Amino acid sequence: QEMDEFYNVAWKKEATQTSEAHGGSADKAVDGWTAQNWAGRDGSCTHSRHRGSDVWKVDLGRVYQIDHIRVYGLDNHASSYMAGAMLWIDSNLCGRLKNVKKGAQQVKCAKPELMAGRHVSISAGSTFLAICEVQVMVKKADMEKVPTVMAWPGESVGGFTNVALNPTTNEKSTAKQSSTIHNGVARRANDGNRNGHWGGASVTHTNGNGIQSGRST
């Protein structure tokens, strides 16, 4: 999809999400429509089923040198769904989204090298995901470029780097604990989701009282 000096390489590409509700299928976020009003099955926005644990992802088909990403959420009370959601390029966390009603949020990683990738994902914050459009913008001059993919060093927080963070898009967890109950698995402690409510599906839970342990490698 040609847009001024860019191509939107996410347009009509294969999109998936970990759950669906109200007819808000994953492909609606890459259908080319940026309308931000909710219209259910007849509309053009996604909707997940679970609070705080779902992931939406688009496969670009190959690695691109991405310039920036535009994300459109709903323009009603549900615009708050985007607050705290995390945007990833492959395993690189590029930013946390905000509650913006009108227009797109523009996201760029801290370094251009971190903008090279094949998969763009958005993982939920504290509630559902409802995405009206994701535009992955590549400069026309960079369309044939073969970029160097850089390993993400970790999330920068207040001058420090959180090297324990394990992307929600990564199937292999770097965290372990001595026991688990109620599906409160260890990986929830370093998934980047800061939602402290149990219903947000991002809190660990051990089985039993007394001495319990957990670690991340």
Side-chain angles (χ1 to χ4, degrees):
Q1 185 181 32
E2 188 173 0
M3 304 180 71
D4 299 322
E5 71 269 32
F6 301 98
Y7 281 109
N8 171 19
V9 296
W11 182 55
K12 301 290 186 181
K13 295 292 176 62
E14 181 182 1
T16 58
Q17 58 189 7
T18 50
S19 75
E20 179 185 323
H22 313 303
S25 57
D27 60 290
K28 292 185 174 182
V30 289
D31 61 1
W33 293 92
T34 58
Q36 295 179 271
N37 57 302
W38 176 252
R41 293 184 182 277
D42 297 325
S44 182
C45 300
T46 74
H47 202 300
S48 66
R49 183 174 299 277
H50 307 116
R51 293 180 181 269
S53 61
D54 280 310
V55 178
W56 176 93
K57 180 167 68 174
V58 61
D59 183 349
L60 304 177
R62 68 171 178 87
V63 174
Y64 287 95
Q65 181 59 54
I66 300 166
D67 183 80
H68 65 277
I69 298 170
R70 302 171 185 171
V71 181
Y72 293 80
L74 289 165
D75 66 357
N76 56 17
H77 68 280
S79 64
S80 61
Y81 289 178
M82 302 305 294
M86 295 169 282
L87 189 145
W88 308 79
I89 296 177
D90 290 342
S91 295
N92 300 335
L93 177 58
C94 277
R96 295 174 185 267
L97 300 177
K98 301 177 181 179
N99 180 356
V100 175
K101 282 191 175 183
K102 298 294 183 182
Q105 298 185 57
Q106 183 168 305
V107 181
K108 297 187 78 164
C109 297
K111 298 180 180 179
E113 295 87 352
L114 297 173
M115 296 291 290
R118 172 173 175 167
H119 299 95
V120 174
S121 306
I122 298 176
S123 55
S126 61
T127 184
F128 306 106
L129 277 179
I131 307 166
C132 295
E133 194 70 14
V134 176
Q135 297 173 335
V136 180
M137 311 302 286
V138 176
K139 289 181 179 178
K140 291 179 179 179
D142 291 338
M143 283 295 293
E144 303 305 320
K145 184 177 182 178
V146 180
T148 301
V149 178
M150 177 180 174
W152 187 55
E155 183 181 19
S156 179
V157 182
F160 297 92
T161 299
N162 175 15
V163 296
L165 182 60
N166 187 55
T168 56
T169 54
N170 188 352
E171 296 297 328
K172 295 182 179 179
S173 176
T174 59
K176 301 181 185 301
Q177 61 190 19
S178 54
S179 67
T180 300
I181 195 171
H182 307 311
N183 200 34
V185 294
R187 67 173 297 155
R188 292 181 173 186
N190 67 334
D191 62 359
N193 191 334
R194 300 167 183 166
N195 177 21
H197 297 284
W198 177 252
S202 185
V203 178
T204 71
H205 202 303
T206 57
N207 183 11
N209 300 316
I211 299 175
Q212 302 287 318
S213 65
R215 65 186 177 92
S216 178
T217 58

